[in-house]
Amino acid sequence: MHEYDLISDEVVCALGAAVGEDNLKLFEPMSEHTTFKIGGPADVVLTPTSPDAIVRALDTCAIAGVPVTVVGNGSDLLVGDRGIRGVVVLLRDNVASITVSGTRIHAEAGALLRDVALAAADAELTGLEPLWGIPATVGGACHMNAGAYDACTADVLESVKVYVPGAELADGSRARGTVRTMDVSELAMGYRKSRIHDEGLIVLEATFALAPGNERMIRSEMDDYRRRREEKQPLKMASAGSTFKRPQGYFAGKLIMDAGLRGARVGAAQVSEKHCGFVVNTGGATAADVNALIERVQDEVRQQFGVELEPEVKRIGEF
């Protein structure tokens, strides 16, 4: 066994066969795969290049009883400084094909929302403009029902093809999973949540249903959303996007600003001076820095305003 004591050489070889040896890395720093630029090494990182290869890799891990973490663009993740045990499956530009058919766009899980929106504009299809600046993959957007400017993924999503994990067996392993197509009406999509998240489903592909539009107007609207983001958000600094969910009846950023926390720091983690709803990595921040700053913000807002801030950033791995 390797020193991480979870994955045998035999399983590593089987995973290499499933995705191709060139698409398997050992002890890969997750700081290379998150927009926060934070995170220790993952035991094994896979970059399968087709939906079939994804399924083979997931089935191999299930049968071997090896934990799996699926990562898209890593834009809402805080990975622990000690990294991730088991296997990380990266779904990014390795599975990112986009095709247009009439008013529908079919995209693999690793395609960026930005690229899907640009393909829609090229095809004179409207509906994705508010989402195009979200730094998420299609899989990640469906997983969390990503949204912005009063729009969300569920507004334009028609269906997804997902991997459904098999049942857990007595020895702790799992049976092989199944692949099924689900209509958006089956996904229980709400504010930053979905059945995909709740049941551990893994998006392989998605279909978006859009409407005919005027390319000039579509691109003008996209440019307007881009300008608004650039004016208000710290896009030039490493972060995981909005750090906290919007509390009912409030705006997280305003609460944090009113609590006197603009620019507050722990180590190299800082409450953004441009938008207090973002915690940013000023260079060399650790997950411990970010955690401590999040807790400080929560404590201050709770004490001053009686409001509980719930993190939108997802913590994964070992801290």
Side-chain angles (χ1 to χ4, degrees):
M1 299 285 284
H2 291 287
E3 65 185 35
Y4 40 76
D5 200 33
L6 279 177
I7 310 173
S8 67
D9 291 333
E10 181 182 6
V11 172
V12 171
C13 289
L15 290 169
V19 303
E21 292 184 3
D22 291 342
N23 301 317
L24 182 152
K25 294 182 179 179
L26 302 177
F27 307 115
E28 173 80 353
M30 287 304 296
S31 57
E32 299 292 322
H33 302 292
T34 65
T35 58
F36 235 147
K37 305 301 181 185
I38 294 172
D43 294 341
V44 176
V45 171
L46 306 178
T47 53
T49 56
S50 70
D52 286 345
I54 298 170
V55 171
R56 290 195 298 269
L58 295 173
D59 279 345
T60 299
C61 291
I63 292 167
V66 174
V68 176
T69 303
V70 177
V71 173
N73 199 39
S75 56
D76 65 342
L77 300 180
L78 177 63
V79 178
D81 297 318
R82 296 176 59 195
I84 300 175
R85 306 288 69 79
V87 170
V88 170
V89 178
L90 288 180
L91 303 183
R92 204 166 298 173
D93 54 3
N94 45 306
V95 277
S97 71
I98 300 168
T99 58
V100 180
S101 178
T103 58
R104 287 172 172 77
I105 294 186
H106 310 280
E108 291 184 329
L112 292 172
L113 272 186
R114 172 187 175 87
D115 293 335
V116 178
L118 289 171
D122 288 342
E124 296 190 303
L125 297 175
T126 184
L128 280 165
E129 294 90 330
L131 307 182
W132 92 287
I134 298 174
T137 59
V138 164
C142 295
H143 182 269
M144 66 174 290
N145 192 21
Y149 300 107
D150 297 320
C152 64
T153 303
D155 295 338
V156 288
L157 184 66
E158 182 175 73
S159 64
V160 291
K161 181 182 287 186
V162 294
Y163 175 91
V164 182
E168 186 171 348
L169 304 178
D171 64 359
S173 65
R174 287 186 175 272
R176 292 179 185 274
T178 57
V179 175
R180 60 173 294 198
T181 298
M182 302 176 69
D183 186 83
V184 66
S185 62
E186 302 177 75
L187 299 178
M189 301 186 87
Y191 178 65
R192 304 299 180 264
K193 65 180 181 179
S194 72
R195 183 177 172 187
I196 298 167
H197 169 274
D198 295 344
E199 298 182 13
L201 310 180
I202 296 164
V203 176
L204 304 175
E205 302 172 11
T207 298
F208 298 92
L210 305 176
N214 176 277
E215 182 178 359
R216 182 184 60 79
M217 294 180 65
I218 291 168
R219 293 191 183 277
S220 175
E221 189 172 352
M222 290 167 69
D223 287 342
D224 179 58
Y225 284 122
R226 176 183 55 78
R227 284 191 295 269
R228 290 161 69 178
R229 283 189 170 90
E230 289 175 348
E231 289 172 1
K232 297 179 179 180
Q233 299 179 10
L235 301 181
K236 294 182 179 180
M237 301 191 75
S239 78
S242 296
T243 304
F244 300 98
K245 295 180 180 179
R246 181 186 297 179
Q248 187 171 3
Y250 299 91
F251 292 96
K254 187 175 189 310
L255 287 170
I256 296 166
M257 179 178 65
D258 291 347
L261 293 170
R262 181 190 296 275
R265 297 175 69 111
V266 172
Q270 180 185 47
V271 173
S272 169
E273 296 183 346
K274 189 171 187 178
H275 189 313
C276 291
F278 287 66
V279 170
V280 297
N281 178 1
T282 63
T286 64
D289 292 339
V290 174
N291 263 337
L293 185 54
I294 286 174
E295 290 174 1
R296 178 183 170 190
V297 168
Q298 289 175 310
D299 289 344
E300 287 287 343
V301 169
R302 184 187 305 114
Q303 290 175 15
Q304 294 191 39
F305 306 109
V307 177
E308 293 289 339
L309 291 181
E310 181 183 353
E312 187 167 318
V313 174
K314 297 178 178 61
R315 290 166 31 114
I316 61 173
E318 295 187 345
F319 286 78

